[in-house]
Amino acid sequence: MTQHTSTEATAVADAEKKAQLNVNKLTKWLRHAVGDAINDFNMIEPGDKIMVCLSGGKDSYTMLDILLGLQRSAPIDFSIVAVNLDQKQPGFPEHVLPDYLKSIGVDYRIIEEDTYSIVKKLVPEGKTTCSLCSRLRRGILYRVADELGASKVALGHHREDILETLFLNMFYGGKLKAMPPKLVSDDGKHVVIRPLAYCREKDIVRYSEAKGFPIIPCNLCGSQPNLQRAVVGDMIADWDKRFPGRIESMFRALQNVVPSHLADTSLYDFVGAKADGVARADGDKAFDRETFSEPNTINILASKPADAGGCGDH
C-alpha cells in the first residue's frame, strides 16, 4: 500500500513538473512575442506612462501580466497604471478587479460611468451594442489618459482580433483595413498600442488558465447571437485547425503589402504609370504563372535576429 502511494505521488509530481515547464515555455514565448511587437513598432519609449486598459477578460489580464514582467527586465524605464471602466452592467462584480490589482501591487484606477444605460436606451432591442459601446468606452478612456498624463494607451487585441477586423472590413465595409499594432488617435492627442499583436489567442487562453486570472464576462453583449465578429472568428478558428500555418501566412500579409498590385489610386500612381524601360521590383508579372501552396506551420517571428535588443526576452 505504501509503495503504491509512493508511485502515485511520484507520478503526480512528474505531471506537475511537466505542467510547470509548459507554463514557463508559454510565458517565454508570449514575452518574446510582446517584446518583438514593442520593438518593431516602437510602442514603448523611455519615460512612458502606459495606461493598460483592463476589461476583466483573458486578453487584458495577460497583457498587464506580460507588461509587468517586461517592466522588471526591460533596459528602459516606463511606468504602468491599470485602468478599468466600470460600465455599471447589472450584476457586475465590482470587487474582483480592485482585489486582484491590490494583490499584485500595481497602480490602478477604477472609472465608473453608466454607459450600460445609454447603450440599452439608444440601441433597439435585438441589435448589437458593440459599436456604440466601443465608441463610448474609447472616449472615456482617452479622457482618463489625459487626466493621468499617460503617454500611451495599451489595448489587449491579439493576432486573431486583428485578422477578424481585416475580414470584417472586407466583407462589410469594403475596405482593406485592420487594427494596426500602433496608431495615433484621430484628434492627434493619444498613441494607442496593442502589445499582444503578435500573440496567438490559443496561447493567451492557455496562459490565462494557467495563471488563474479572475475572468469577468461581459454580460452586455456576450449573449447576443450571430455577431458578425463571432462568425468571422469561427471562420478563422476553423482555418487554423484545418490548415496549419494559414493564420501565420495571413498575418504576414499585413506586413507585406504591394500597393502596385492592388487598385487604390491614392497609394499608387496608376494614372502616371508609363513604360519607361526602367526595371522595377513592383512591376507586373502577370505573364508568369504564380504558384501557391499551403503554408507550413511557422513562427511569424522566425526572421527576427536572435540578438535583437529591447523589451523582449530573446
Side-chain angles (χ1 to χ4, degrees):
M1 182 71 175
T2 303
Q3 183 178 1
H4 182 67
T5 303
S6 176
T7 302
E8 289 181 344
T10 300
V12 170
D14 288 344
E16 290 177 347
K17 183 178 179 180
K18 183 177 180 181
Q20 187 58 52
L21 287 173
N22 288 333
V23 171
N24 292 343
K25 183 178 179 181
L26 178 61
T27 301
K28 184 177 180 179
W29 155 248
L30 286 173
R31 284 168 64 93
H32 176 89
V34 171
D36 272 343
I38 290 172
N39 295 332
D40 287 351
F41 296 92
N42 193 30
M43 291 185 185
I44 298 179
E45 300 168 275
D48 267 343
K49 185 173 188 177
I50 311 298
M51 188 177 97
V52 177
C53 299
L54 196 66
S55 66
K58 68 182 188 322
D59 305 327
S60 59
Y61 274 125
T62 297
M63 174 176 63
L64 175 62
D65 193 68
I66 296 296
L67 286 178
L68 287 171
L70 291 177
Q71 184 188 37
R72 290 188 288 269
S73 61
I76 61 173
D77 292 325
F78 62 93
S79 60
I80 291 174
V81 55
V83 171
N84 169 254
L85 173 58
D86 179 354
Q87 298 177 267
K88 295 304 175 184
Q89 298 176 29
F92 181 79
E94 297 180 356
H95 66 286
V96 171
L97 279 168
D99 288 351
Y100 172 76
L101 294 170
K102 288 176 184 175
S103 72
I104 63 174
V106 67
D107 185 18
Y108 74 92
R109 302 288 187 279
I110 304 296
I111 311 300
E112 297 183 0
E113 294 280 354
D114 189 5
T115 61
Y116 178 86
S117 296
I118 297 174
V119 169
K120 299 303 286 187
K121 179 180 179 181
L122 296 180
V123 177
E125 191 68 30
K127 297 294 184 179
T128 58
T129 61
C130 296
S131 179
L132 176 59
C133 180
S134 178
R135 290 199 303 272
L136 291 172
R137 186 169 63 247
R138 190 66 60 87
I140 294 169
L141 291 174
Y142 281 158
R143 186 201 75 209
V144 174
D146 286 337
E147 294 172 355
L148 295 175
S151 52
K152 305 284 172 59
V153 177
L155 304 179
H157 299 119
H158 49 68
R159 184 189 66 177
E160 278 76 2
D161 287 325
I162 292 172
L163 288 174
E164 285 171 13
T165 303
L166 171 68
F167 284 110
L168 284 168
N169 277 305
M170 289 173 62
F171 295 164
Y172 304 105
K175 294 179 180 179
L176 200 58
K177 173 184 175 183
M179 286 178 177
K182 179 181 178 182
L183 187 68
V184 178
S185 60
D186 54 3
D187 62 4
K189 295 181 179 180
H190 307 92
V191 176
V192 176
I193 60 174
R194 296 182 170 94
L196 300 182
Y198 289 167
C199 297
R200 304 182 299 187
E201 183 175 22
K202 57 189 176 185
D203 290 337
I204 293 172
V205 170
R206 289 171 53 212
Y207 189 78
S208 179
E209 291 173 349
K211 288 289 186 176
F213 296 135
I215 305 298
I216 302 174
C218 177
N219 297 321
L220 179 61
C221 58
S223 60
Q224 293 178 342
N226 301 320
L227 290 177
Q228 293 169 338
R229 182 171 289 276
V231 172
V232 171
D234 289 342
M235 177 189 74
I236 292 175
D238 178 60
W239 284 349
D240 194 30
K241 290 179 182 177
R242 294 194 293 131
F243 309 106
R246 178 171 290 187
I247 306 304
E248 284 79 4
S249 182
M250 289 192 302
F251 191 85
R252 286 203 317 277
L254 293 176
Q255 300 172 295
N256 191 23
V257 178
V258 185
S260 66
H261 284 53
L262 298 175
D264 190 334
T265 57
S266 68
L267 295 180
Y268 189 82
D269 184 16
F270 293 100
V271 175
K274 300 183 185 301
D276 54 12
V278 178
R280 60 199 71 202
D282 62 355
D284 181 45
K285 295 181 177 64
F287 294 104
D288 297 330
R289 182 181 295 276
E290 271 191 284
T291 59
F292 300 95
S293 61
E294 285 298 331
N296 296 320
T297 303
I298 58 176
N299 182 342
I300 60 173
L301 304 174
S303 62
K304 305 297 179 188
D307 60 348
C311 290
D313 286 344
H314 299 278

mmCIF file of all heavy atoms in Angstrom, residues 37-81:
data_model
loop_
_atom_site.group_PDB
_atom_site.id
_atom_site.type_symbol
_atom_site.label_atom_id
_atom_site.label_comp_id
_atom_site.label_asym_id
_atom_site.label_seq_id
_atom_site.Cartn_x
_atom_site.Cartn_y
_atom_site.Cartn_z
ATOM 1 N N ALA A 37 6.875 42.861 -30.757
ATOM 2 C CA ALA A 37 5.888 43.848 -31.214
ATOM 3 C C ALA A 37 6.259 45.243 -30.709
ATOM 4 O O ALA A 37 6.181 46.229 -31.447
ATOM 5 C CB ALA A 37 4.492 43.453 -30.730
ATOM 6 N N ILE A 38 6.677 45.315 -29.450
ATOM 7 C CA ILE A 38 7.089 46.601 -28.877
ATOM 8 C C ILE A 38 8.269 47.178 -29.649
ATOM 9 O O ILE A 38 8.293 48.365 -29.998
ATOM 10 C CB ILE A 38 7.435 46.433 -27.387
ATOM 11 C CG1 ILE A 38 6.166 46.157 -26.572
ATOM 12 C CG2 ILE A 38 8.143 47.684 -26.845
ATOM 13 C CD1 ILE A 38 6.430 45.795 -25.120
ATOM 14 N N ASN A 39 9.243 46.331 -29.949
ATOM 15 C CA ASN A 39 10.437 46.797 -30.653
ATOM 16 C C ASN A 39 10.143 47.170 -32.107
ATOM 17 O O ASN A 39 10.610 48.199 -32.611
ATOM 18 C CB ASN A 39 11.524 45.720 -30.603
ATOM 19 C CG ASN A 39 12.019 45.464 -29.192
ATOM 20 O OD1 ASN A 39 11.983 46.343 -28.344
ATOM 21 N ND2 ASN A 39 12.468 44.253 -28.939
ATOM 22 N N ASP A 40 9.381 46.323 -32.791
ATOM 23 C CA ASP A 40 9.092 46.560 -34.208
ATOM 24 C C ASP A 40 8.362 47.872 -34.442
ATOM 25 O O ASP A 40 8.581 48.546 -35.452
ATOM 26 C CB ASP A 40 8.262 45.407 -34.783
ATOM 27 C CG ASP A 40 9.079 44.142 -34.979
ATOM 28 O OD1 ASP A 40 10.320 44.201 -34.832
ATOM 29 O OD2 ASP A 40 8.477 43.092 -35.278
ATOM 30 N N PHE A 41 7.468 48.231 -33.528
ATOM 31 C CA PHE A 41 6.627 49.411 -33.716
ATOM 32 C C PHE A 41 6.965 50.554 -32.751
ATOM 33 O O PHE A 41 6.239 51.543 -32.700
ATOM 34 C CB PHE A 41 5.148 49.030 -33.584
ATOM 35 C CG PHE A 41 4.684 48.074 -34.650
ATOM 36 C CD1 PHE A 41 4.735 46.712 -34.448
ATOM 37 C CD2 PHE A 41 4.235 48.557 -35.872
ATOM 38 C CE1 PHE A 41 4.329 45.824 -35.443
ATOM 39 C CE2 PHE A 41 3.820 47.687 -36.871
ATOM 40 C CZ PHE A 41 3.877 46.320 -36.661
ATOM 41 N N ASN A 42 8.064 50.406 -32.013
ATOM 42 C CA ASN A 42 8.479 51.432 -31.062
ATOM 43 C C ASN A 42 7.311 51.830 -30.157
ATOM 44 O O ASN A 42 6.999 53.011 -29.989
ATOM 45 C CB ASN A 42 9.015 52.671 -31.801
ATOM 46 C CG ASN A 42 9.749 53.628 -30.865
ATOM 47 O OD1 ASN A 42 10.344 53.219 -29.876
ATOM 48 N ND2 ASN A 42 9.700 54.917 -31.188
ATOM 49 N N MET A 43 6.681 50.824 -29.574
ATOM 50 C CA MET A 43 5.488 51.066 -28.760
ATOM 51 C C MET A 43 5.796 51.769 -27.446
ATOM 52 O O MET A 43 5.004 52.591 -26.973
ATOM 53 C CB MET A 43 4.779 49.735 -28.460
ATOM 54 C CG MET A 43 4.129 49.073 -29.644
ATOM 55 S SD MET A 43 3.226 47.594 -29.108
ATOM 56 C CE MET A 43 2.697 46.938 -30.689
ATOM 57 N N ILE A 44 6.915 51.401 -26.831
ATOM 58 C CA ILE A 44 7.239 51.944 -25.518
ATOM 59 C C ILE A 44 8.600 52.614 -25.568
ATOM 60 O O ILE A 44 9.576 52.025 -26.040
ATOM 61 C CB ILE A 44 7.228 50.835 -24.447
ATOM 62 C CG1 ILE A 44 5.827 50.211 -24.349
ATOM 63 C CG2 ILE A 44 7.656 51.395 -23.093
ATOM 64 C CD1 ILE A 44 5.731 49.084 -23.337
ATOM 65 N N GLU A 45 8.652 53.851 -25.072
ATOM 66 C CA GLU A 45 9.881 54.641 -25.074
ATOM 67 C C GLU A 45 10.249 55.025 -23.645
ATOM 68 O O GLU A 45 9.392 54.976 -22.744
ATOM 69 C CB GLU A 45 9.682 55.892 -25.933
ATOM 70 C CG GLU A 45 9.328 55.570 -27.385
ATOM 71 C CD GLU A 45 8.856 56.797 -28.150
ATOM 72 O OE1 GLU A 45 7.657 57.114 -28.077
ATOM 73 O OE2 GLU A 45 9.702 57.422 -28.807
ATOM 74 N N PRO A 46 11.502 55.386 -23.417
ATOM 75 C CA PRO A 46 11.923 55.750 -22.060
ATOM 76 C C PRO A 46 11.046 56.839 -21.454
ATOM 77 O O PRO A 46 10.750 57.836 -22.107
ATOM 78 C CB PRO A 46 13.356 56.245 -22.268
ATOM 79 C CG PRO A 46 13.834 55.539 -23.495
ATOM 80 C CD PRO A 46 12.625 55.442 -24.380
ATOM 81 N N GLY A 47 10.615 56.627 -20.221
ATOM 82 C CA GLY A 47 9.791 57.614 -19.527
ATOM 83 C C GLY A 47 8.308 57.513 -19.809
ATOM 84 O O GLY A 47 7.518 58.286 -19.235
ATOM 85 N N ASP A 48 7.888 56.586 -20.656
ATOM 86 C CA ASP A 48 6.464 56.446 -20.968
ATOM 87 C C ASP A 48 5.657 56.065 -19.732
ATOM 88 O O ASP A 48 6.133 55.326 -18.858
ATOM 89 C CB ASP A 48 6.249 55.366 -22.029
ATOM 90 C CG ASP A 48 6.224 55.914 -23.444
ATOM 91 O OD1 ASP A 48 6.056 57.143 -23.601
ATOM 92 O OD2 ASP A 48 6.360 55.120 -24.390
ATOM 93 N N LYS A 49 4.435 56.571 -19.694
ATOM 94 C CA LYS A 49 3.456 56.113 -18.716
ATOM 95 C C LYS A 49 2.388 55.370 -19.507
ATOM 96 O O LYS A 49 1.654 55.972 -20.285
ATOM 97 C CB LYS A 49 2.847 57.283 -17.942
ATOM 98 C CG LYS A 49 1.891 56.846 -16.819
ATOM 99 C CD LYS A 49 1.454 58.034 -15.967
ATOM 100 C CE LYS A 49 0.675 57.582 -14.742
ATOM 101 N NZ LYS A 49 0.302 58.726 -13.873
ATOM 102 N N ILE A 50 2.301 54.066 -19.314
ATOM 103 C CA ILE A 50 1.410 53.223 -20.095
ATOM 104 C C ILE A 50 0.104 53.003 -19.340
ATOM 105 O O ILE A 50 0.102 52.461 -18.233
ATOM 106 C CB ILE A 50 2.051 51.851 -20.397
ATOM 107 C CG1 ILE A 50 3.471 52.016 -20.935
ATOM 108 C CG2 ILE A 50 1.174 51.073 -21.370
ATOM 109 C CD1 ILE A 50 3.565 52.772 -22.226
ATOM 110 N N MET A 51 -0.991 53.444 -19.928
ATOM 111 C CA MET A 51 -2.303 53.183 -19.353
ATOM 112 C C MET A 51 -2.808 51.864 -19.939
ATOM 113 O O MET A 51 -3.156 51.781 -21.110
ATOM 114 C CB MET A 51 -3.286 54.308 -19.671
ATOM 115 C CG MET A 51 -4.612 54.165 -18.940
ATOM 116 S SD MET A 51 -5.752 55.543 -19.259
ATOM 117 C CE MET A 51 -6.751 54.835 -20.562
ATOM 118 N N VAL A 52 -2.796 50.828 -19.119
ATOM 119 C CA VAL A 52 -3.212 49.498 -19.565
ATOM 120 C C VAL A 52 -4.710 49.345 -19.301
ATOM 121 O O VAL A 52 -5.157 49.344 -18.157
ATOM 122 C CB VAL A 52 -2.426 48.400 -18.821
ATOM 123 C CG1 VAL A 52 -2.919 47.018 -19.234
ATOM 124 C CG2 VAL A 52 -0.939 48.542 -19.104
ATOM 125 N N CYS A 53 -5.475 49.235 -20.375
ATOM 126 C CA CYS A 53 -6.935 49.140 -20.249
ATOM 127 C C CYS A 53 -7.315 47.708 -19.890
ATOM 128 O O CYS A 53 -7.088 46.777 -20.668
ATOM 129 C CB CYS A 53 -7.594 49.561 -21.549
ATOM 130 S SG CYS A 53 -7.232 51.272 -21.995
ATOM 131 N N LEU A 54 -7.886 47.557 -18.726
ATOM 132 C CA LEU A 54 -8.189 46.240 -18.175
ATOM 133 C C LEU A 54 -9.700 46.031 -18.140
ATOM 134 O O LEU A 54 -10.411 46.730 -17.419
ATOM 135 C CB LEU A 54 -7.603 46.128 -16.764
ATOM 136 C CG LEU A 54 -7.484 44.739 -16.165
ATOM 137 C CD1 LEU A 54 -6.482 43.895 -16.937
ATOM 138 C CD2 LEU A 54 -7.061 44.829 -14.698
ATOM 139 N N SER A 55 -10.186 45.060 -18.924
ATOM 140 C CA SER A 55 -11.625 44.799 -19.002
ATOM 141 C C SER A 55 -12.072 43.726 -18.027
ATOM 142 O O SER A 55 -13.254 43.642 -17.689
ATOM 143 C CB SER A 55 -11.991 44.359 -20.422
ATOM 144 O OG SER A 55 -11.398 43.106 -20.716
ATOM 145 N N GLY A 56 -11.145 42.870 -17.626
ATOM 146 C CA GLY A 56 -11.506 41.719 -16.817
ATOM 147 C C GLY A 56 -11.546 40.445 -17.641
ATOM 148 O O GLY A 56 -11.890 39.381 -17.124
ATOM 149 N N GLY A 57 -11.177 40.550 -18.928
ATOM 150 C CA GLY A 57 -11.111 39.383 -19.799
ATOM 151 C C GLY A 57 -9.708 38.825 -19.883
ATOM 152 O O GLY A 57 -8.743 39.445 -19.419
ATOM 153 N N LYS A 58 -9.575 37.662 -20.514
ATOM 154 C CA LYS A 58 -8.287 36.958 -20.583
ATOM 155 C C LYS A 58 -7.204 37.773 -21.275
ATOM 156 O O LYS A 58 -6.032 37.733 -20.882
ATOM 157 C CB LYS A 58 -8.472 35.625 -21.313
ATOM 158 C CG LYS A 58 -8.805 35.764 -22.794
ATOM 159 C CD LYS A 58 -9.029 34.432 -23.464
ATOM 160 C CE LYS A 58 -9.177 34.523 -24.964
ATOM 161 N NZ LYS A 58 -9.902 35.667 -25.511
ATOM 162 N N ASP A 59 -7.585 38.534 -22.314
ATOM 163 C CA ASP A 59 -6.594 39.263 -23.106
ATOM 164 C C ASP A 59 -5.950 40.391 -22.309
ATOM 165 O O ASP A 59 -4.725 40.531 -22.288
ATOM 166 C CB ASP A 59 -7.246 39.834 -24.373
ATOM 167 C CG ASP A 59 -7.934 38.764 -25.203
ATOM 168 O OD1 ASP A 59 -7.433 37.622 -25.217
ATOM 169 O OD2 ASP A 59 -8.972 39.059 -25.819
ATOM 170 N N SER A 60 -6.776 41.202 -21.661
ATOM 171 C CA SER A 60 -6.220 42.349 -20.939
ATOM 172 C C SER A 60 -5.459 41.912 -19.682
ATOM 173 O O SER A 60 -4.448 42.514 -19.314
ATOM 174 C CB SER A 60 -7.326 43.359 -20.586
ATOM 175 O OG SER A 60 -8.337 42.776 -19.796
ATOM 176 N N TYR A 61 -5.918 40.836 -19.016
ATOM 177 C CA TYR A 61 -5.149 40.301 -17.890
ATOM 178 C C TYR A 61 -3.767 39.844 -18.352
ATOM 179 O O TYR A 61 -2.744 40.122 -17.703
ATOM 180 C CB TYR A 61 -5.874 39.096 -17.278
ATOM 181 C CG TYR A 61 -6.914 39.419 -16.229
ATOM 182 C CD1 TYR A 61 -8.221 38.967 -16.368
ATOM 183 C CD2 TYR A 61 -6.583 40.136 -15.083
ATOM 184 C CE1 TYR A 61 -9.184 39.223 -15.400
ATOM 185 C CE2 TYR A 61 -7.535 40.403 -14.107
ATOM 186 C CZ TYR A 61 -8.841 39.944 -14.267
ATOM 187 O OH TYR A 61 -9.787 40.208 -13.304
ATOM 188 N N THR A 62 -3.735 39.125 -19.471
ATOM 189 C CA THR A 62 -2.463 38.636 -20.000
ATOM 190 C C THR A 62 -1.559 39.794 -20.383
ATOM 191 O O THR A 62 -0.357 39.780 -20.091
ATOM 192 C CB THR A 62 -2.709 37.728 -21.218
ATOM 193 O OG1 THR A 62 -3.464 36.575 -20.794
ATOM 194 C CG2 THR A 62 -1.403 37.272 -21.839
ATOM 195 N N MET A 63 -2.125 40.803 -21.044
ATOM 196 C CA MET A 63 -1.338 41.973 -21.440
ATOM 197 C C MET A 63 -0.703 42.635 -20.224
ATOM 198 O O MET A 63 0.504 42.939 -20.226
ATOM 199 C CB MET A 63 -2.211 42.973 -22.194
ATOM 200 C CG MET A 63 -1.507 44.296 -22.513
ATOM 201 S SD MET A 63 -2.510 45.429 -23.516
ATOM 202 C CE MET A 63 -3.896 45.758 -22.396
ATOM 203 N N LEU A 64 -1.492 42.877 -19.190
ATOM 204 C CA LEU A 64 -0.968 43.517 -17.982
ATOM 205 C C LEU A 64 0.130 42.669 -17.354
ATOM 206 O O LEU A 64 1.194 43.189 -16.977
ATOM 207 C CB LEU A 64 -2.098 43.738 -16.975
ATOM 208 C CG LEU A 64 -1.679 44.304 -15.607
ATOM 209 C CD1 LEU A 64 -1.056 45.687 -15.763
ATOM 210 C CD2 LEU A 64 -2.880 44.367 -14.657
ATOM 211 N N ASP A 65 -0.101 41.359 -17.248
ATOM 212 C CA ASP A 65 0.860 40.477 -16.605
ATOM 213 C C ASP A 65 2.185 40.449 -17.371
ATOM 214 O O ASP A 65 3.269 40.536 -16.762
ATOM 215 C CB ASP A 65 0.269 39.066 -16.527
ATOM 216 C CG ASP A 65 1.052 38.159 -15.592
ATOM 217 O OD1 ASP A 65 1.026 38.404 -14.374
ATOM 218 O OD2 ASP A 65 1.692 37.207 -16.076
ATOM 219 N N ILE A 66 2.116 40.354 -18.694
ATOM 220 C CA ILE A 66 3.339 40.304 -19.503
ATOM 221 C C ILE A 66 4.070 41.651 -19.448
ATOM 222 O O ILE A 66 5.305 41.694 -19.334
ATOM 223 C CB ILE A 66 3.014 39.941 -20.957
ATOM 224 C CG1 ILE A 66 2.425 38.527 -21.045
ATOM 225 C CG2 ILE A 66 4.258 40.054 -21.836
ATOM 226 C CD1 ILE A 66 3.368 37.425 -20.635
ATOM 227 N N LEU A 67 3.339 42.748 -19.523
ATOM 228 C CA LEU A 67 3.980 44.070 -19.465
ATOM 229 C C LEU A 67 4.657 44.299 -18.120
ATOM 230 O O LEU A 67 5.737 44.901 -18.055
ATOM 231 C CB LEU A 67 2.953 45.172 -19.742
ATOM 232 C CG LEU A 67 2.489 45.331 -21.187
ATOM 233 C CD1 LEU A 67 1.437 46.440 -21.302
ATOM 234 C CD2 LEU A 67 3.661 45.627 -22.116
ATOM 235 N N LEU A 68 4.030 43.844 -17.042
ATOM 236 C CA LEU A 68 4.655 43.984 -15.723
ATOM 237 C C LEU A 68 5.951 43.190 -15.660
ATOM 238 O O LEU A 68 6.944 43.645 -15.075
ATOM 239 C CB LEU A 68 3.689 43.526 -14.628
ATOM 240 C CG LEU A 68 2.515 44.455 -14.326
ATOM 241 C CD1 LEU A 68 1.520 43.788 -13.372
ATOM 242 C CD2 LEU A 68 2.995 45.783 -13.740
ATOM 243 N N GLY A 69 5.952 42.005 -16.276
ATOM 244 C CA GLY A 69 7.169 41.211 -16.312
ATOM 245 C C GLY A 69 8.258 41.885 -17.123
ATOM 246 O O GLY A 69 9.426 41.904 -16.721
ATOM 247 N N LEU A 70 7.891 42.441 -18.268
ATOM 248 C CA LEU A 70 8.863 43.133 -19.101
ATOM 249 C C LEU A 70 9.372 44.401 -18.424
ATOM 250 O O LEU A 70 10.541 44.772 -18.576
ATOM 251 C CB LEU A 70 8.230 43.488 -20.455
ATOM 252 C CG LEU A 70 7.928 42.312 -21.387
ATOM 253 C CD1 LEU A 70 7.244 42.805 -22.651
ATOM 254 C CD2 LEU A 70 9.199 41.548 -21.740
ATOM 255 N N GLN A 71 8.501 45.050 -17.675
ATOM 256 C CA GLN A 71 8.903 46.276 -16.973
ATOM 257 C C GLN A 71 10.054 45.998 -16.014
ATOM 258 O O GLN A 71 10.965 46.814 -15.854
ATOM 259 C CB GLN A 71 7.709 46.848 -16.208
ATOM 260 C CG GLN A 71 7.992 48.171 -15.511
ATOM 261 C CD GLN A 71 6.848 48.596 -14.600
ATOM 262 O OE1 GLN A 71 6.219 47.765 -13.951
ATOM 263 N NE2 GLN A 71 6.582 49.891 -14.565
ATOM 264 N N ARG A 72 10.025 44.810 -15.398
ATOM 265 C CA ARG A 72 11.070 44.463 -14.432
ATOM 266 C C ARG A 72 12.402 44.137 -15.100
ATOM 267 O O ARG A 72 13.459 44.287 -14.486
ATOM 268 C CB ARG A 72 10.606 43.269 -13.583
ATOM 269 C CG ARG A 72 9.480 43.597 -12.623
ATOM 270 C CD ARG A 72 9.198 42.448 -11.679
ATOM 271 N NE ARG A 72 8.540 41.332 -12.347
ATOM 272 C CZ ARG A 72 7.218 41.192 -12.432
ATOM 273 N NH1 ARG A 72 6.404 42.113 -11.899
ATOM 274 N NH2 ARG A 72 6.691 40.148 -13.042
ATOM 275 N N SER A 73 12.360 43.695 -16.361
ATOM 276 C CA SER A 73 13.596 43.253 -17.016
ATOM 277 C C SER A 73 14.030 44.132 -18.185
ATOM 278 O O SER A 73 15.143 43.965 -18.695
ATOM 279 C CB SER A 73 13.418 41.816 -17.533
ATOM 280 O OG SER A 73 12.366 41.749 -18.484
ATOM 281 N N ALA A 74 13.186 45.068 -18.617
ATOM 282 C CA ALA A 74 13.499 45.868 -19.800
ATOM 283 C C ALA A 74 14.643 46.841 -19.523
ATOM 284 O O ALA A 74 14.820 47.310 -18.394
ATOM 285 C CB ALA A 74 12.262 46.651 -20.243
ATOM 286 N N PRO A 75 15.414 47.168 -20.556
ATOM 287 C CA PRO A 75 16.532 48.103 -20.391
ATOM 288 C C PRO A 75 16.097 49.564 -20.348
ATOM 289 O O PRO A 75 16.931 50.448 -20.241
ATOM 290 C CB PRO A 75 17.389 47.824 -21.627
ATOM 291 C CG PRO A 75 16.412 47.362 -22.653
ATOM 292 C CD PRO A 75 15.378 46.576 -21.904
ATOM 293 N N ILE A 76 14.793 49.810 -20.438
ATOM 294 C CA ILE A 76 14.286 51.184 -20.365
ATOM 295 C C ILE A 76 13.299 51.292 -19.211
ATOM 296 O O ILE A 76 12.700 50.305 -18.797
ATOM 297 C CB ILE A 76 13.608 51.618 -21.689
ATOM 298 C CG1 ILE A 76 12.404 50.720 -22.001
ATOM 299 C CG2 ILE A 76 14.609 51.620 -22.835
ATOM 300 C CD1 ILE A 76 11.593 51.194 -23.199
ATOM 301 N N ASP A 77 13.154 52.514 -18.695
ATOM 302 C CA ASP A 77 12.222 52.754 -17.592
ATOM 303 C C ASP A 77 10.885 53.262 -18.127
ATOM 304 O O ASP A 77 10.844 54.198 -18.930
ATOM 305 C CB ASP A 77 12.807 53.791 -16.628
ATOM 306 C CG ASP A 77 14.028 53.274 -15.880
ATOM 307 O OD1 ASP A 77 14.037 52.068 -15.561
ATOM 308 O OD2 ASP A 77 14.954 54.065 -15.628
ATOM 309 N N PHE A 78 9.808 52.629 -17.696
ATOM 310 C CA PHE A 78 8.461 53.111 -18.015
ATOM 311 C C PHE A 78 7.538 52.695 -16.875
ATOM 312 O O PHE A 78 7.817 51.735 -16.146
ATOM 313 C CB PHE A 78 7.967 52.560 -19.356
ATOM 314 C CG PHE A 78 7.841 51.061 -19.423
ATOM 315 C CD1 PHE A 78 6.641 50.431 -19.132
ATOM 316 C CD2 PHE A 78 8.924 50.270 -19.792
ATOM 317 C CE1 PHE A 78 6.520 49.047 -19.203
ATOM 318 C CE2 PHE A 78 8.818 48.889 -19.870
ATOM 319 C CZ PHE A 78 7.606 48.269 -19.570
ATOM 320 N N SER A 79 6.473 53.438 -16.709
ATOM 321 C CA SER A 79 5.539 53.137 -15.624
ATOM 322 C C SER A 79 4.230 52.599 -16.193
ATOM 323 O O SER A 79 3.916 52.787 -17.377
ATOM 324 C CB SER A 79 5.266 54.388 -14.783
ATOM 325 O OG SER A 79 4.704 55.424 -15.571
ATOM 326 N N ILE A 80 3.474 51.930 -15.348
ATOM 327 C CA ILE A 80 2.214 51.300 -15.750
ATOM 328 C C ILE A 80 1.118 51.687 -14.773
ATOM 329 O O ILE A 80 1.320 51.659 -13.553
ATOM 330 C CB ILE A 80 2.353 49.760 -15.780
ATOM 331 C CG1 ILE A 80 3.266 49.315 -16.924
ATOM 332 C CG2 ILE A 80 0.991 49.087 -15.892
ATOM 333 C CD1 ILE A 80 3.558 47.825 -16.920
ATOM 334 N N VAL A 81 -0.034 52.043 -15.308
ATOM 335 C CA VAL A 81 -1.220 52.230 -14.484
ATOM 336 C C VAL A 81 -2.357 51.464 -15.152
ATOM 337 O O VAL A 81 -2.616 51.630 -16.342
ATOM 338 C CB VAL A 81 -1.588 53.729 -14.306
ATOM 339 C CG1 VAL A 81 -1.755 54.425 -15.647
ATOM 340 C CG2 VAL A 81 -2.857 53.872 -13.460
#
